[in-house]
Amino acid sequence: MTSSTPDSTRPLEGLRVIDLTRALAGPYGTLLLAGLGAQVIKVEDPRGGDLARDNSPYVGRDGVVVEKRHDDDISISHLTRARGKYGVTLNLKDPGAGEVFADLVRNADIVMENFTAGTADRLGVGYAAARAVNPGIVYCSLSGFGADATDGGKAMDVIIQALSGAMYTSGEPGHPPVRIGVPIADMLAPVFAVIGILAAIEQRHRTGEGQHVDVSMLGALTSFVAIENWAAMASAGMEARTGLTVQRLSPFGVFQCADGYVAIVAVHEKLAQGLFRAMRQPELGDEPRFATRDARVANAEMLEATINAWSRTLPTAEVVALLEAEGVPVAPVRHPEEALVDPRVVARGETVAVAHPSYPSEVKLRSVGVPIKFSAAHTGFDDIMPIAIGEHNASIYRDILGYSEERIAALHRTGTI
Amino acid sequence: MTSSTPDSTRPLEGLRVIDLTRALAGPYGTLLLAGLGAQVIKVEDPRGGDLARDNSPYVGRDGVVVEKRHDDDISISHLTRARGKYGVTLNLKDPGAGEVFADLVRNADIVMENFTAGTADRLGVGYAAARAVNPGIVYCSLSGFGADATDGGKAMDVIIQALSGAMYTSGEPGHPPVRIGVPIADMLAPVFAVIGILAAIEQRHRTGEGQHVDVSMLGALTSFVAIENWAAMASAGMEARTGLTVQRLSPFGVFQCADGYVAIVAVHEKLAQGLFRAMRQPELGDEPRFATRDARVANAEMLEATINAWSRTLPTAEVVALLEAEGVPVAPVRHPEEALVDPRVVARGETVAVAHPSYPSEVKLRSVGVPIKFSAAHTGFDDIMPIAIGEHNASIYRDILGYSEERIAALHRTGTI
């Protein structure tokens, strides 16, 4: 095998994943499994591989570029999502694919796929086929609306955001809904898929049997939305969407500075008084309209205007410093580039540096890490990835499945791998 | 014990969790563990319990009310977050608490807490104390900035949203950032905590040892934000924030209808032509400004205006039907109340009904479920919860720890429990 280092201090050491996923949601799930120490074998179509390989921008010998210029330019999407994974080819539509798939499954603990519901079964690589050769297999399907959906349309992130209610809850009252800039529908479902996989692995310790784990993007995001008591709030006359601030907790929310925005939380008495001191207007705390929590809520609009009139004259850093000095929870609204290099986040590996394996880039790229720290284990990504399609065909098919050189060559000739 | 039904077909059957968490983030994590079949014992301060018990609105004999009217009115926050958990009291500041905590940990697999960083250790209920009595314990700390943070300020959801960059990425270019209406910072960290706990349990199968699992709200959300290649996009001249639409994929995003909004994705040639047919303007596909993908991106603003001019004259349902007939991905932007009762989501238990144990409510309450389906296991919540503080003191302290009635009575008298 290549540079993967066996390490008993990785939580999922010893578990092998056959990864049939493409695009974002599925590959992010198997990325987490790899980061936790599982061996992930990414299976790509020999006729082009994962579509994410063609996502702009790319990185290569000319640095970051919008259009691919050289054969060894790599899509940053692929670079970040395929980290720590082995890559083999297998054309699932080829008549010889079933046997190779069966051999992979026989030697694995987990399969994950994110085809449109029903497709994996049609291709002969669904749970039934996997279980037939390995009853211990934990097989995870990730789809838009569930593995049992009959109207399995394309489930892009923005479609799921719209259906889930998440989009409606964001934004100003009376204004349009807001598309959340982070693809949370794509990202959340695989996180639950990983939970489902690990829970099924735990159950397998008791029963010896694997099972099918089925996660829906719509279900995952809608379940998050369901943490708020929407029906109760509506019946109590509370707004579902309150914009930058929440007036029933006033002062609470986002306020304007001269050069940006800050989030401020001063719901309780002590904090509100601290805010007024920071504003150099401690007398506000004695005014009947702002003197009690109920009064501040009743006069929230006036209070927010008063705060904004103060904060928008000052730089963000100064507003933050003044409020911190009074112990009032405050934070600047940061640009993602700044957030990704927060020293705390960097130190904990919650974001990690990524780079083209051959060409340094002037643009420092950071990407998603594993946001979990273990006292007796470590997380992170082995220095391995399928740069070329089928990069690890020889090592996986030979070393793990025991295929002969002749057989591997024959599978290449027939276009099976 | 009470009505909990032992069931070998729940993934985490047999695992016991000592739950020191309060408010939202921690209790949501242990809720997921309970939904997956772990036995969760919620530990509350006898002098008032979880603060979420005082969150408005409440439900009780008068239905849903904003202010608590009767002793048996229950905060809907508590009703939804304490489902499926046992409840005991323990005053962690009492001199006798350490011994009781040690006995709980000795009989458990998992401890979870979400105090401000450092507090659990100061109270004598940190990882070191837990490990001393049970080296197999998996101990999870959930905090704003990590268990090692020295500036462990209050980490409310809105503060973390601001710091993570998530807020910045949402909204229209040149406009203020957007507070995401769902408390994603509070919700995401516990999901990673559950992954960390299950991964540590898996490692324990190999090593026999537990460990400390440490998840930060800032790290969890920032890692999500890091899936987009912000630095690369910036260097390639791509905007971090593009509002309701993404013009480099045009037509892509949210469009206005007469009575609401729809999300439409028609990036590829076939879909764009389908959209133009649905608009009853198939000739747009022949116009040079919209005829190719590059042309549509170059003229995105004009294209979006053309689509909006059509869609805003029609009801949402009609726009959805017309586009569906042409196979173009489309979805209405739904209100959360509508999203939570989507028959697909209801059937899969991704949202579930909740109710006051004694009083039916005219307002039908739905809350977060477990968004994972297993073929050989089931998820969901036992019909048990700590309505009163210390509701299950007798059964837990007697049946699990083996305390005598006299000892339990004495612990009550000293205010320890």
Side-chain angles (χ1 to χ4, degrees), chain A residues 8 10-11 148 162-163 170 177 179 181 191 202-203 205-206 211-212 214 242-244 334 348 350 373 375-376, chain B residues 8 10-11 148 162-163 170 177 179 181 191 202-203 205-206 211-212 214 219 242-244 334 348 373 375-376:
Chain A
S8 65
R10 298 184 67 176
D148 48 355
L163 288 174
S170 304
R179 190 178 62 82
V191 178
E202 171 63 15
Q203 188 171 345
H205 281 290
R206 299 198 313 277
Q211 60 184 307
H212 189 204
D214 157 20
T242 70
L244 282 176
R334 298 196 295 198
R348 291 169 59 86
E350 293 153 343
K373 295 268 285 180
S375 66
Chain B
S8 65
R10 298 185 68 177
D148 47 355
L163 288 173
S170 304
R179 191 178 61 82
V191 178
E202 172 63 14
Q203 187 171 346
H205 281 291
R206 297 197 314 275
Q211 59 184 307
H212 189 205
D214 157 19
T242 70
L244 282 177
R334 298 197 295 199
R348 292 170 58 86
K373 295 267 286 181
S375 65

Side-chain angles (χ1 to χ4, degrees), chain B residues 69-145:
Chain B
R69 295 182 191 168
H70 307 283
D71 272 357
D72 54 2
D73 286 352
I74 302 177
S75 164
I76 299 176
S77 296
H78 183 69
L79 187 68
T80 53
R81 298 172 199 170
R83 277 173 296 163
K85 303 177 182 177
Y86 294 86
V88 299
T89 47
L90 184 60
N91 175 1
L92 299 179
K93 292 183 175 161
D94 184 89
E99 196 182 334
V100 179
F101 177 72
D103 288 335
L104 284 168
V105 170
R106 214 173 269 121
N107 288 281
D109 303 279
I110 296 158
V111 176
M112 188 160 170
E113 59 92 3
N114 68 333
F115 294 108
T116 304
T119 302
D121 279 331
R122 270 200 307 280
L123 290 168
V125 296
Y127 175 56
R131 182 183 168 78
V133 294
N134 182 355
I137 201 79
V138 169
Y139 187 107
C140 182
S141 297
L142 195 60
S143 60
F145 307 102

